Every structure is written in structure tokens, then in C-alpha cells.
Amino acid sequence: MSDVSAEAGAAGFVSVVLEVGAPPPVTMPTVVLMDVSLSMTRPVLLEGTEEFQRKNLAVHGLTMLFEHMATNYRLEFTALVAFSSLWELMVPFTRDYNTLQEALNNLEDYDKTCLEPALLGVSNIVQQEWGSTCPCQVVLVTDGSLGIGRGSLRHSLSTIKQRSEDKKFPLPFPFPAKLYIMCIANAEELQSSDTLENLEQLLSLNGGEGQIFTVEGPLCLKNVQSMFGKLIDLAYTPFHAVLRCGNLSSDVQVFPRPEPVVLDEEVDPTPRTILTDVDEMGTGTTDDTEEENSANQMAGKSPNFCVLLHGSLKVEGMVALVQLGPDWFGMLYSQADSKKKSNLMMSLFEPGPEPLPWLGKICQLGPTSDAKENPYGEDDSKSPFPLQPKNKRSYAQNVTVWIKPSGLQTDVQKILRNARKLPEKTQTFYKELNRLRKAALAFGFWELLKGVADLLERECTLLPDTAHPDAAFQLSHAAQQLKLASTGDSQYAAFDHNITPMLTDFSGAGSSDRDRM
């Protein structure tokens, strides 16, 4: 595969997976959190028309969003949650936007605003349906009224630091999420109080993932529609691209829209985006149903490279490498979400020339006919993969892993048992000590080194009078070396360095011509 990424075809749309090795979510679901408190019933006077409520403006904006998603995001799941002092799941995750629209039009009015329990409800709903790894988008629609007294957002934010572990604030969500706050109010109205400040704090609690939208100008249908249009442009615009293979190509769409990737290790990181051969298309809907159906029928009868590729990968059980940009690759494969339906999926590798170490540089891959001799042998008896690393590693020793406190306690106790048998167990003592030292340095667990050093000093003071003199010297020496390593100084905290036994006359390690007592 060369050139650009993307997927989907006449048979349907597909999802993009940004984490290699993670279970691939086929959607990026949306939860609409609708404020139905009494403050949403406040009237809005529009010239030349009947009196509107803020709730009516919110419903109008969400209707626009649902119509756009029904046309362009047909494979995405959406849920509707209404809240005031309590919250209720009005529509579970569905692709039926008629059901969502009907529930939206039939929302009743309730009492005061309590946002915290609603956010907790969203967290529970998403985890029950999708788990904690699937990314989700939460669209909060409110008039900016934060509630009054206990249960209000002001009260919730002011008590965050005084809470116990079982009553933590629901943000950040336990799953990857973007929070979009749609305020049926203009910025001037929100700035007259601390509303905007509290909403910004809410966004920061979610890791800054999301955005706050306010109505520009007076409250009216046109300005609310413009605000929801900005949300659509930011989060719900289809990603159009061209998938190429030699002379074959296909226009495709990628769902969900792939986000730019920033590499932290770069000195001056710049976001990397997927290249595309076609320009972005505008959003909108059409009322010409007959013309749209006719176009779909024609598309279904036309040859489509993407459908051919999808069918081939599905039947053969293979994957196809795809180039997303300079030094950025991914792979295409078929995944079935039911017995009858399957999607063409795309997984994005980490940017770089060697995203899979065992495969080597992807740009150097080529047909076997270009090789001087068949790398697989005449009878497929050998394979050039996986590539062997340049530096040969030794796997003779098990890697030290502390998953439970008991594992760490066992390793420390092993060192102390050998310490009490010095000098007979000198070699074993330093072997176990160096194993713990390397693991602590690998994990950045400096406090462990300091703690074990204190334990060794304590053992030194508890040595009986009958103890061998060399034991005190070795314990003091080991404790001092651990303390130096715990400072993080590269001179003493080198990973490959080993603490060696102290040379003493007692241990018989002194020079041969030294006088002995």
C-alpha cells in the first residue's frame, strides 16, 4: 500500500483505532446530557414570533445535531439523558435518531439543577455499555444556571478536596471522553456571574478535553443554530480521504475522525495529521430524498476498490499496510460486529519508520521477486521475520515485577534474611540487593532504596556481640550505596552498576602481603 489512509466503501462506514494492541472500538458514542430544570423554561422574546423558552432553543439546536448525525454518522451510537435534581436515561444508546428526536420533543420540565449526579449517571451508563476503554463524547446542553445551595455546581466544586475516596467527583471520567458544554446563553450573561469560571473548572477536571460554546449575539434560533454548527464542525465533520493502491483508488470516509498525534519525545513537537487527497466537504442535509436514493443506487452498482479490498481481506484473513503520511503507517483489516455485518477497520501505528520492531523499517518491505534469493526458502521452511535485534538481550533472569505489596515485602525480607547470615551469605546478599536496586531504579522508586538502606542500618545496630565483624562493615557499606543511589545522581544511580562487597581483611579479600591481626 502506498499513499493515503482511510476506509469505508459502498458497503458501509468504518472506525479508526488509535491504540495498537487495544480492543478496537467500532464507534465513538455520544451522550447528550439535557438540562430540564425550571431555569430552562425562562422565556426568550423573539421579534415577530411567539414566545420561546430556552428549552425550545436547545431542542432546536439538538435537532440540527441529530439530523446531521443521521445523515453523516449513521453507524455511531447516541444516548439521551435528562437531568434536574435527578437524572433519567430517556433513550439508551441507539442509531435510531427518530427515537431520539421523539424523546427530545417530549421532555418534561422538572425542578432545580444538580449536575454532579447527572455526570455520575453518564459515567455509569457509558461503562455499562462500552467499558472504560472506548472513547466517548459528552454533549452537555444547559442555560448556564448552576443551581442553588447544596447540590449546585458551585457547592460540588468547592467541596472536591474535602471528599472521601468513595464520594469523589465524577470527573475526570474513567474512560477517554471529550466534554462539550453548549450554553443557551451569551458570554455577557455568563460573565456577569462566576458561571463561566465554574464551567471552565469543570472542563479542566476532565483534563481539558472538550470546549465551552456560548451563543454569539442575542438569543435567537439563528444564533443557536450557528453555535451547534460550530460543534458539528469541530467534532462531527466526516473525514474524507482517498485510498490508493497503484492505479486503483476509492473515495472513503473514516469514522470516528482521527485526531492529530503529538510525539512528546520531539524537541519541538508538531501535531501529525493524516494526509488526504480530497478537500474537506461541508456539512448539511438535503430534502431531495428521491435524488439521494437514486445516487445511492448508482453507487451500489459501480465498481468500488474499497469493497474489493474489504472482501479480499475478509476472505483471506489478511491485513494490508497503509501509509498515512511521511513515516506514518497503519493497517487495514476486516472485523465482524455480527454474523452478517463486517467493517473495514484501520489501526494507526505510532508515527515513525519502525513502529513494529520485529518487522524492521516498513519502507524497506517489498515483493520477494526483488530479493536475490527467496527469503522464505524453496519450501517455506524459513522466514526473515521476526528481525533479530542488533543488541542481543539475555532473558536468563526473570523480570522483577511488584504487582502486590506482598511481592515487594518478600523481596525485602529475602535481603534481610541473608543480611543476618553475613558473611557466609555475602554473595547471595549482594545478588538480591542488586536485583532490588535495579528494579527500584527502573520504576523510579527512590523511596524504596532509602527505606531498605534504613533497614540495613537498623540491622547493623541489632547485631549480637557474637556476630562476625565483617557483617557490620558489609551492612554499612550496602546501606551507604543505596542512599547514594536514592538521590538519583547519575554517578551513583546508573542502572547497569552493581554494588560489590566491601573489601575487608575479615572477608579475606585484602591484599596478600597485608599484615593480619
Side-chain angles (χ1 to χ4, degrees):
M1 281 279 167
S2 62
D3 214 51
V4 191
S5 71
E7 46 194 332
F13 299 114
V14 255
S15 299
V16 172
V17 187
L18 297 181
E19 295 89 9
V20 177
V26 295
T27 60
M28 190 172 182
T30 296
V31 179
V32 175
L33 190 55
M34 178 68 175
D35 186 352
V36 290
S37 61
L38 288 176
S39 60
M40 288 287 285
T41 65
R42 287 181 291 169
V44 177
L45 298 177
L46 304 177
E47 295 182 3
T49 62
E50 59 179 323
E51 184 179 277
F52 270 77
Q53 297 178 351
R54 297 188 185 228
K55 175 183 174 183
N56 302 130
L57 296 178
V59 169
H60 176 78
L62 285 175
T63 298
M64 174 183 169
L65 176 62
F66 288 162
E67 288 177 350
H68 171 80
M69 295 178 72
T71 304
N72 299 281
Y73 275 65
R74 290 172 293 175
L75 292 185
E76 300 293 357
F77 287 89
T78 304
L80 177 63
V81 177
F83 77 98
S84 57
S85 60
L86 302 174
W87 64 272
E88 181 181 356
L89 178 60
M90 307 301 296
V91 181
F93 284 103
T94 181
R95 290 171 172 169
D96 186 353
Y97 287 94
N98 290 329
T99 302
L100 287 164
Q101 188 61 53
E102 183 180 353
L104 187 64
N105 293 331
N106 295 326
L107 288 176
E108 298 181 6
D109 303 321
Y110 291 92
D111 49 4
K112 66 176 184 175
T113 304
C114 292
L115 185 55
E116 182 179 344
L119 293 173
L120 183 60
V122 168
S123 179
N124 293 334
I125 291 169
V126 172
Q127 289 187 91
Q128 288 174 7
E129 185 75 22
W130 305 103
S132 58
T133 59
C134 181
C136 183
Q137 302 192 112
V138 180
V139 179
L140 168 61
V141 184
T142 181
D143 61 337
S145 176
L146 306 181
I148 301 173
R150 190 176 183 85
S152 66
L153 183 59
R154 293 186 186 88
H155 179 267
S156 295
L157 295 177
S158 64
T159 59
I160 285 181
K161 296 181 179 179
Q162 289 81 40
R163 299 175 180 227
S164 58
E165 189 67 24
D166 59 332
K167 294 183 179 180
K168 290 178 62 176
F169 193 74
L171 293 184
F173 290 115
F175 47 85
K178 291 192 175 183
L179 176 62
Y180 298 109
I181 304 175
M182 314 300 293
C183 296
I184 312 299
N186 52 43
E188 291 77 11
E189 181 182 349
L190 297 176
Q191 287 172 350
S192 61
S193 61
D194 61 348
T195 299
L196 201 57
E197 181 182 342
N198 282 274
L199 292 179
E200 288 174 349
Q201 187 177 351
L202 198 66
L203 209 60
S204 65
L205 287 173
N206 195 46
E209 293 291 336
Q211 191 170 324
I212 299 173
F213 294 86
T214 59
V215 177
E216 294 184 2
L219 288 179
C220 62
L221 292 175
K222 180 180 178 182
N223 291 342
V224 169
Q225 185 176 0
S226 175
M227 179 179 70
F228 275 86
K230 291 179 181 178
L231 171 65
I232 290 173
D233 291 340
L234 177 66
Y236 295 98
T237 302
F239 186 88
H240 295 268
V242 175
L243 179 64
R244 295 187 183 276
C245 180
N247 295 325
L248 300 175
S249 65
S250 177
D251 293 340
V252 293
Q253 285 181 274
V254 182
F255 291 91
R257 187 181 182 87
E259 297 288 340
V261 176
V262 178
L263 299 179
D264 295 333
E265 61 268 21
E266 292 183 350
V267 177
D268 187 15
T270 55
R272 299 213 185 180
T273 56
I274 293 179
L275 298 182
T276 172
D277 282 356
V278 294
D279 295 331
E280 293 283 340
M281 296 183 179
T283 60
T285 58
T286 175
D287 296 326
D288 196 345
T289 307
E290 183 177 349
E291 182 178 345
E292 183 181 353
N293 291 337
S294 176
N296 287 338
Q297 291 173 1
M298 291 296 293
K301 295 179 181 179
S302 302
N304 190 296
F305 165 61
C306 200
V307 176
L308 173 65
L309 176 65
H310 183 198
S312 302
L313 296 177
K314 180 179 179 182
V315 172
E316 297 296 331
M318 301 178 74
V319 301
L321 288 175
V322 60
Q323 185 171 2
L324 314 172
D327 282 342
W328 195 7
F329 301 91
M331 69 178 182
L332 301 176
Y333 55 96
S334 177
Q335 185 193 45
D337 56 4
S338 67
K339 292 183 178 180
K340 295 183 179 180
K341 293 183 180 180
S342 61
N343 301 315
L344 181 61
M345 306 288 292
M346 179 169 69
S347 291
L348 276 62
F349 300 150
E350 289 287 336
E354 297 183 74
L356 305 175
W358 60 269
L359 193 62
K361 292 185 177 180
I362 292 184
C363 61
Q364 294 181 354
L365 294 176
T368 55
S369 58
D370 289 350
K372 294 180 179 180
E373 60 179 29
N374 188 350
Y376 292 94
E378 295 299 329
D379 56 354
D380 295 337
S381 59
K382 63 177 183 178
S383 172
F385 304 108
L387 292 183
Q388 296 300 319
K390 296 179 181 179
N391 300 323
K392 193 173 182 180
R393 297 181 177 88
S394 172
Y395 298 96
Q397 292 184 341
N398 293 329
V399 178
T400 302
V401 179
W402 295 314
I403 299 177
K404 298 180 179 179
S406 57
L408 175 59
Q409 184 179 3
T410 301
D411 285 348
V412 174
Q413 287 177 340
K414 194 182 297 183
I415 293 173
L416 294 180
R417 282 198 303 270
N418 287 298
R420 291 162 188 162
K421 297 179 181 179
L422 290 174
E424 290 81 6
K425 295 288 185 178
T426 299
Q427 296 302 323
T428 307
F429 169 75
Y430 280 100
K431 177 184 175 182
E432 295 297 332
L433 189 71
N434 283 311
R435 189 170 72 88
L436 179 135
R437 176 185 177 277
K438 283 191 173 184
L441 290 175
F443 300 143
F445 200 170
W446 317 112
E447 297 85 354
L448 174 62
L449 299 176
K450 179 67 168 57
V452 174
D454 292 340
L455 287 176
L456 294 180
E457 288 182 341
R458 179 175 177 274
E459 287 295 323
C460 189
T461 61
L462 297 177
L463 287 173
D465 296 336
T466 57
H468 194 286
D470 192 45
F473 284 101
Q474 298 298 343
L475 289 174
S476 299
H477 169 67
Q480 182 187 16
Q481 293 298 313
L482 288 180
K483 284 186 176 180
L484 291 174
S486 69
T487 62
D489 190 333
S490 59
Q491 181 180 354
Y492 305 104
F495 181 78
D496 294 330
H497 173 72
N498 282 323
I499 302 175
T500 56
M502 183 179 184
L503 298 179
T504 65
D505 289 335
F506 302 108
S507 61
S511 58
S512 59
D513 58 344
R514 185 177 300 171
D515 294 333
R516 297 182 180 275
M517 295 298 292

